């Protein structure tokens, strides 16, 4: 930014530091990246320095959002037994209030809600600016927003419009200036007399002058700017995100929040001056400030409603104890002869930590107890940029917190595969393609009936007999080849190396194996299962893919990992480091399509021994998994046929009118870091992120540190994104996805001139039960303390209770809850016994909502 | 030819959507039930449409007319319920049913668990009812009734997501344009009454056209009528200068945008022109006008399309441009081409809108994005060197700004149409309401005294109608009191009746005025009652821009207010709908120009009343609205 370097010592604003002010304001804006890589994060990231409940209250008063579910919902949970007395007692004790007051709260809990459940009076909706506009009787937002949004959308556009707005290296402000000064039709309203002279000034001067004329007094500048930006949080946030990280876009754009502020202020000044030619009162001259929330005063003062807080914590605690009590029953499994002494399993499978893989792992092991599964972050420790055969750009395949140093290219193995691209019909091609007016006329004149047929087919086709739709996951991938081995140590201009050396490969492979505690007793077949999701007509498709691969399908990582682990040179290095992978062991990569419940195996031209058996078991597991998923779908089949269920999930993933191809991370609740033995005989629904971890190999807590570094932000981010989007879908979430309109390929908005929507749509969260993530770590508190001491910034998540953190000591099975002040032993309810069932199907039958953790007693192994 | 069967099928096509609407309204709101009703009735409609078209085709594609019954029959005025089926109607009917059936199937799943599931299907059946009414109407009057129904259901679907101010605002914007352009049709139908002595049947019109016999009235009136019809068509089809409302109307669920603005609604203007070709097609002037509108639209829409960075806006402008072509084709008399073009464009845009959410995956994962630039350089190589460096970039910037602002049509329309009305209204409102009423009473009394002299009758009527317009404008310009707006609207309607009575105080006119008022007065009183309850604890004037969310907090009151709103604007649910027509015809009986103030009042009243409804019923409730209520 050229303007920010300009000195800010101006006569009218020497004591008002614009840059500092913008930095303070910008912290309150949403930080959602462009939609192509939807990254789950804590929606209230900027409030993380506060305690969870206090943050909710402050955020509510800032954005005008709800903070909890309606009181009636909690009362209903209680009636249904979903909240138990034990949880209530715990939550009441947790308030730390004197007993008498606790008793008073307790009594008030069951009173019906007289006042309704509405958002508070907030800065964004009832602030100074709003009061001022009411006084002026101007609906300024309706006048200014369309102008600003249109400019921003055209500026950011990544490929929808036919004419690109910014020229090479042009910043947003330069574009605005060019269009208003060098066009025959001046850009409205920048040529209005009130502002036309200001266009050539520095940004700081413009902002100060406008603020002076609008707000009047320096004391209200900051609040005015904040309210102006919060009137369209989506676009303000997007400008800030791109300013901080221009690489978030494929086609780079130079923009700063300051430019947006200056442009908008100019617009406002121009319009207000034109409407009120004889002058108008400024914001600071508002006659009556009573009842208007003020920044730095009452807004920042949290005011937590005790009833709702107690209900919410009681609800969460009830859910937590369901898992903890179940874990307690399984603690014996840990001390049984460990896997080293057991017979070698037939096959081992690595899955992503993702809670959607929870059920498929259970089924796979139920079907064949000789299969052992592991959980790890879905990039399998291999981070790189990846450019597929048909990709225009390399994209990072790893959690967003990592910046990869390597690039992996895909090339075709079959000679003629190149021609397969663009083999869609003519109709497909012009679906959105850009054509001249005349051709447009011709097309729409001639092809309409074709579209009638196509439309009728896509809507009316019988769902079970679908045309095969080729996607990234199928067929083509098998014929391609990844360049993983580095042939040249020269980095390219971005400092990125093409491929990995054997030592680097051994590092990556060895690290992952140690993380998940698999260093001996390798099965002859190890399948690395990555996951992705296919859906049609879904702008939010990225949110369904693997969060640990920066919202991409994880197949390249799985393929790279398997290839590396299969290299004799890599195994040799690993052997020297004490990890002995026998020569009889084969690694196979695969991709689990979580929406269709299908699996694709890679590079298996010569199937290793045991592969057919595994494939067969997996197929069964997928069918049963599909049936378990169907229990959530109101319009799904109600029969007990696995095949029918599987057909149904496939038709969901391929219908253009299905807004819920899958329910994604709905109902995520637990994260379990520990050996699989602890959870192997539990039915945890599809609610737990599971990372394998061998506590006995990690006396210093370093492996745990690596795991938590990923689990806390990734799983915690997913959990909180769901929680907030569920609690107030219209402010924290993006509302119903049905009216969404794709803007510039960077986001969605309602209608053509709406603000960008952030968060998750209603269709993703409607069955979610909002509760904070509980992370359970199987390790002694003494070791965990060492890890926590090294957590750095992530410690905030634990200290301020954005996630709950529990240690389960592997020897004794004692459970401790982390708090800022130390570990508290967890009292389990005496009157709760963990429900049991023989097999998963027995649990799910007839159930359409979240199911408490069950013990599975039909163990075969 | 099996006439009886065809007649019954025509009635069936018309009644089935209405039945479905009523059934859904009465149903419990259970999603499965609604889906079953919708599905059943859309199939039933399909069967009737196909049977009807088959029978009609086997009869040799005749221009078929069927008079069902006479809704009103008085000397000099008839309102027959009359159906008409010809080639144009058949094509439209078929397209409507096909797209409707697809959308119903699509929405059954797509809207699953949506809070407004019932509301959506109700409205969409209302829309189809209106569409069928338009397409099968045998007279302009019936067509106008359908036109109004389509307008209101559009309005409701745009404002479907009523929590957010933006959909509500855009619904209002579309509604104002609709309302304004309805003038064209209303006046057109009035004139046809005058000229044909009854609501003109399309069958007789087309005969006249085929025989090349000029209708028996002056060319002047024919020309005015043509322009009015072209105005109505342009508004509905988002043609110049009303292009801007269409992209902004894309606020409802995607399939509703697809069916309304992509496929069907937007082609209604074309339908109207096809139907009324005998009226405007005689002379060259309306044809030239039509051609120019089409051409201007094509130019503006295709330039605007280039700078649309959102997918629905882009499809909307592409569609507008195609309809512009249709207008041009119409002006050249290429009717068959127009029909083909309509079918193609409707399906194409409908499909594009339905799959529009997939554009991200399509562009990023299938096609790969490219940045297209507006490059004029290569066309400029013959320019003098001195301006070659600057001119192209200036032209480029200008084109871009033009495209970005979409030809600036919205501000243009606002400045010419609404701003003057608003400022007059604001000026009137500086006079206190009681004073206003007092003045009116005084003036009307004076006028009544004057009445004794026959000579002053016209003057008196003129003054009354002027007062009526002023009342409407007062309603239009008032921001801070819904009750006053409501009263102003009602006063204006009463004055309309009064002025017509003054003009022609005969017995039939008195009866007609009673008919008119029998619709208006109950609606007014009901509305007043509801408004009093709603506003009891709300200090509206303190926050006139806040939407009060009554539809959410007190849905029954909102429904009542909606009904009274429909009543007071003369929507075809009360006798006032025919009453407006009658009033107009009496008013223009002696002096055709006299219809003008009534028309202005009609439009402005509708807009003002709609604003009251929106401000009070839409929006998201918050603690602020609670604070109001508990006060």
């Amino acid at each position: 930014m050229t303007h920010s370097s300009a000195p800010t010592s101006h006569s009218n604003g020497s004591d008002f530091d614009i840059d500092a002010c913008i930095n303070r304001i910008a912290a309150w804006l949403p930080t959602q990246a462009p939609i192509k890589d939807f990254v789950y994060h804590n929606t209230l990231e900027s409030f993380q320095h506060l305690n969870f409940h206090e943050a909710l209250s402050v955020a509510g008063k800032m954005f005008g959002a709800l903070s909890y579910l309606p009181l009636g919902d909690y009362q209903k949970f209680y009636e249904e037994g979903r909240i138990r007395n034990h949880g209530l007692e715990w939550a009441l004790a947790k308030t730390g209030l004197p007993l008498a007051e606790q008793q008073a709260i307790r009594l008030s809990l069951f009173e019906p809600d007289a006042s309704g459940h509405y958002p508070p009076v907030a800065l964004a909706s009832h602030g100074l600016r709003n009061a001022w506009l009411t006084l002026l009787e101007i609906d300024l937002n309706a006048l200014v927003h369309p102008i600003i949004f249109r400019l921003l959308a055209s500026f950011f556009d990544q490929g929808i419009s036919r004419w690109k707005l910014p020229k090479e290296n042009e910043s947003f402000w330069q574009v605005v200036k060019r269009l208003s000064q060098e066009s025959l039709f001046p850009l409205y309203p920048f040529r209005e007399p009130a502002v036309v002279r200001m266009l050539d000034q520095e940004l700081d001067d413009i902002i100060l002058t406008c603020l002076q004329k609008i707000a009047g007094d320096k004391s209200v500048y900051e609040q005015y700017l904040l309210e102006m930006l919060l009137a369209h949080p989506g676009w303000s946030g997007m400008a800030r995100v791109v300013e901080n990280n221009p690489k978030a876009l494929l086609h780079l754009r130079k923009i700063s929040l300051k430019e947006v502020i200056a442009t908008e202020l100019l617009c406002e000044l121009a319009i207000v001056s034109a409407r009120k030619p004889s002058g108008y009162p400024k914001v600071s001259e508002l006659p009556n400030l009573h009842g208007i929330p003020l920044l730095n005063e009452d807004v920042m003062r949290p005011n937590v409603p005790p009833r709702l807080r107690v209900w919410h914590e009681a609800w969460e605690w009830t859910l937590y104890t369901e898992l903890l009590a179940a874990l307690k029953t399984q603690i014996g499994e840990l001390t049984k002869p460990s896997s080293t002494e057991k017979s070698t399993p037939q096959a081992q499978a690595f899955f992503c930590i993702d809670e959607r893989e929870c059920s498929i792992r259970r089924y796979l092991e139920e079907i064949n107890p000789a299969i052992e599964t592991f959980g790890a972050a879905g990039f399998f420790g291999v981070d790189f940029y990846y450019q597929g055969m048909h990709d225009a750009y390399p994209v990072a395949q790893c959690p967003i917190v990592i910046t990869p140093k390597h690039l992996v290219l895909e090339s075709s193995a079959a000679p003629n595969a190149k021609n397969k691209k663009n083999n869609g019909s003519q109709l497909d091609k012009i679906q959105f393609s850009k054509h001249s007016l005349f051709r447009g006329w011709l097309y729409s004149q001639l092809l309409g009936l074709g579209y009638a047929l196509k439309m009728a087919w896509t809507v009316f086709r019988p769902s079970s007999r679908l045309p095969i739709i080729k996607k990234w996951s199928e067929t083509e991938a098998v014929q391609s080849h990844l360049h993983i081995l580095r042939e040249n140590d020269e980095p390219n201009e971005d400092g990125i190396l093409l491929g990995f050396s054997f030592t680097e490969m051994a590092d990556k492979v060895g690290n992952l194996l140690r993380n998940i505690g698999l260093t001996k007793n390798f099965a002859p077949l190890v399948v690395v299962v990555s996951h992705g999701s296919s859906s049609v007509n879904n702008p939010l498709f990225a949110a369904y893919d693997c969060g640990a691969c920066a919202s991409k399908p994880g197949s390249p990582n799985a393929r790279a990992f398997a290839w590396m682990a299969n290299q004799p040179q890599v195994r040799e290095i690993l052997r020297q480091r004490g990890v002995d992978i026998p020569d009889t062991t084969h690694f196979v990569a695969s991709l689990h399509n979580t929406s269709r419940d299908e699996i694709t195996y890679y590079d298996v031209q010569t199937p290793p021994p045991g592969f057919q058996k595994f494939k067969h078991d997996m197929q069964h597991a997928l069918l049963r998994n599909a049936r378990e998923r169907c229990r959530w779908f109101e319009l799904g089949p109600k029969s007990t046929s696995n095949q029918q269920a599987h057909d149904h999930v496939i038709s969901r993933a391929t219908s253009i009118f299905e807004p819920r191809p899958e329910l994604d991370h709905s109902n995520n609740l637990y994260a379990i870091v520990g050996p699989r033995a602890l959870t192997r005989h539990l039915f945890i629904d599809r609610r737990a992120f599971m990372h394998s971890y061998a506590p006995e190999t990690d006396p210093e807590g370093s492996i745990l540190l690596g795991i938590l570094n990923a689990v806390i932000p990734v799983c915690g981010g997913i959990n909180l994104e769901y929680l907030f989007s569920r609690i107030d879908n219209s402010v924290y979430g993006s509302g119903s996805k049905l009216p969404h309109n794709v803007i510039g390929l960077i986001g969605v908005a309602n209608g053509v001139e709406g603000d960008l929507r952030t968060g998750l749509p209603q269709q993703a969260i409607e069955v979610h039960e909002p509760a904070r993530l509980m992370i359970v770590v199987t390790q002694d508190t003494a070791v965990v303390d060492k890890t926590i001491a090294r957590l750095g910034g992530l410690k905030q998540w634990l200290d301020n209770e954005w996630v709950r953190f529990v240690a389960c000591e592997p020897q004794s099975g004692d459970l401790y809850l982390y708090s800022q002040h130390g570990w508290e032993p967890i009292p389990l309810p005496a009157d709760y016994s963990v429900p049991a069932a023989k097999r998963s199907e027995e649990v799910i039958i007839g159930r359409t909502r979240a199911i408490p953790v069950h013990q599975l007693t039909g163990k075969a192994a | 030819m099996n006439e009886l069967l065809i007649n019954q099928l025509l009635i069936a096509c018309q009644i089935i959507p209405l039945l479905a609407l009523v059934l859904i309204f009465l149903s419990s709101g259970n999603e499965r039930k609604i889906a079953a009703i919708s599905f059943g009735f859309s199939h039933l409609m399909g069967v009737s449409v196909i049977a009807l078209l088959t029978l009609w085709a086997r009869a040799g594609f005749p221009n078929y007319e069927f008079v069902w019954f006479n809704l009103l029959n008085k000397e000099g005025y008839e309102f027959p319920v009359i159906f008409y089926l010809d080639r144009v109607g058949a094509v439209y009917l078929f397209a409507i049913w096909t797209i409707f059936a697809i959308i119903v199937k699509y929405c059954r799943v797509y809207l699953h668990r949506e809070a407004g599931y019932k509301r959506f299907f109700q409205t969409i059946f209302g829309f189809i009812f209106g569409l069928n009414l338009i397409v099968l109407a045998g007279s302009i009057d019936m067509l106008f009734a359908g036109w109004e129904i389509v307008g209101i259901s559009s309005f409701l679907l745009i404002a479907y997501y009523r929590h957010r101010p933006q959909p509500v605002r855009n619904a209002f914007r579309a509604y104002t344009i609709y309302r304004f352009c309805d003038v064209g049709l209303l006046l057109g139908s009035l004139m046809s009454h005058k000229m044909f002595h009854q609501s003109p049947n399309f069958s007789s019109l087309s005969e006249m056209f085929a025989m090349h016999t000029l209708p028996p009235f002056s060319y002047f009136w024919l020309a005015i009528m043509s322009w009015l019809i072209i105005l109505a068509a342009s508004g509905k089809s988002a043609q110049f200068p009303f292009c801007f409302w269409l992209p902004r109307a894309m606020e409802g669920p995607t399939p509703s945008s697809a069916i309304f603005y992509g496929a069907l609604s937007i082609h209604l203007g074309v339908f109207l022109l096809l139907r009324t070709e005998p009226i405007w097609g005689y002379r060259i002037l309306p044809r030239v006008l039509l051609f120019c509108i089409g051409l201007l639209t094509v130019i503006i829409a295709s330039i605007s399309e280039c700078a649309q960075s959102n997918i629905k806006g882009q499809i909307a402008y592409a569609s507008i441009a195609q309809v512009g072509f249709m207008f041009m084709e119409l002006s050249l008399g290429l009717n068959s081409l127009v029909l083909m073009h309509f079918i193609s464009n409707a399906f194409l845009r409908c499909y594009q809108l339905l799959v529009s959410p997939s554009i991200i995956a399509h562009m990023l994962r299938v096609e790969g994005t490219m940045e297209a630039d507006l490059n004029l350089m290569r066309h400029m190589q013959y320019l003098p060197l001195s301006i070659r460096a600057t001119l192209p970039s200036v032209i480029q910037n200008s084109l871009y700004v033009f495209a970005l602002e979409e030809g600036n049509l919205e501000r243009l329309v606002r400045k010419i149409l609404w701003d003057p009305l608003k400022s007059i209204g604001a000026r009137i409102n500086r006079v206190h309401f009681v004073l206003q009423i007092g003045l009116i009473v005084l003036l009307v009394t004076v006028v009544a005294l004057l009445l004794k002299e026959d000579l002053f009758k016209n003057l008196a009527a003129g003054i009354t109608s002027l007062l009526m317009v002023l009342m409407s404008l007062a309603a239009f310009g008032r921001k801070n009191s819904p009750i006053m707006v409501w009263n102003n609207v009602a006063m204006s309607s009463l004055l309309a009746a009064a002025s017509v009575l003054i003009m022609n105080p005969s017995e039939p006119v008195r009866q007609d005025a009673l008919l008119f008022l029998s619709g208006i007065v109950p609606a007014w009183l009901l509305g007043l009652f509801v408004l009093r309850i709603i506003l009891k604890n709300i200090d509206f004037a303190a926050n006139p821009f806040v939407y009060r969310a009554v539809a959410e907090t007190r849905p029954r009151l909102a429904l009542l207010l909606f009904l009274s709103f429909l009543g007071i604007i003369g929507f075809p649910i009360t006798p006032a709908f025919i009453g407006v027509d009658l009033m107009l015809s009496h008013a223009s009986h002696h002096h055709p120009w006299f219809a003008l103030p009534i028309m202005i009042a009609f439009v402005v009243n509708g807009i003002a009343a709609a604003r009251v409804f929106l401000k009070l019923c839409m929006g998201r409730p918050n603690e602020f609205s609670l604070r109001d209520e508990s006060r």
Side-chain angles (χ1 to χ4, degrees), chain A residues 119 126 150 160 162 164 178 182 184 188 251 253 431 444-445 537 634 660 728 730 738 744 754, chain B residues 32 112 166 248 254 305-306 309 314 322 341 344 352 354 369 371-372 397-398 404-405 620 622-623:
Chain A
H126 300 92
R150 202 167 290 198
I160 288 188
R162 291 167 198 203
K164 176 184 140 192
R178 169 161 65 87
E182 288 166 46
L184 299 175
Y188 178 83
H251 305 288
R253 296 287 185 261
Q431 192 161 305
S444 61
Q445 186 70 273
N537 220 12
E634 226 175 285
R660 302 165 187 80
D728 195 329
S730 53
L738 307 192
Chain B
R32 278 170 197 275
H112 176 47
Q166 183 194 322
R248 283 166 193 73
T254 303
E305 188 198 343
C306 292
S309 49
Q314 200 172 63
Q322 293 306 320
H341 202 161
S344 291
Q352 280 184 329
L354 287 183
T369 71
E371 292 202 290
N397 292 340
S398 310
L404 199 67
E405 298 188 335
R620 184 186 194 208
N622 57 24
E623 282 182 3

Side-chain angles (χ1 to χ4, degrees), chain A residues 322 326 330 681-685 832 834-837 842-843 847 851-856:
Chain A
E322 285 170 4
Q330 299 293 309
H681 301 294
L682 292 183
F683 174 93
I684 322 183
D685 206 346
Y832 178 72
V834 182
E842 208 174 284
V843 184
R847 308 283 287 260
I851 300 175
V853 181
H854 278 60
Q855 265 178 287
L856 293 175

Side-chain angles (χ1 to χ4, degrees), chain A residues 587-600:
Chain A
F587 285 78
V588 169
S590 67
L591 176 73
H592 174 207
N593 187 330
T594 50
S595 64
R596 296 169 66 129
D597 264 320
E598 287 173 345
I599 195 161
T600 317

Side-chain angles (χ1 to χ4, degrees), chain B residues 455-468:
Chain B
L455 190 65
F456 293 112
K457 210 152 71 176
N458 286 346
L459 180 66
I463 292 174
T464 320
S465 67
L466 186 71
L467 285 173
M468 165 193 72

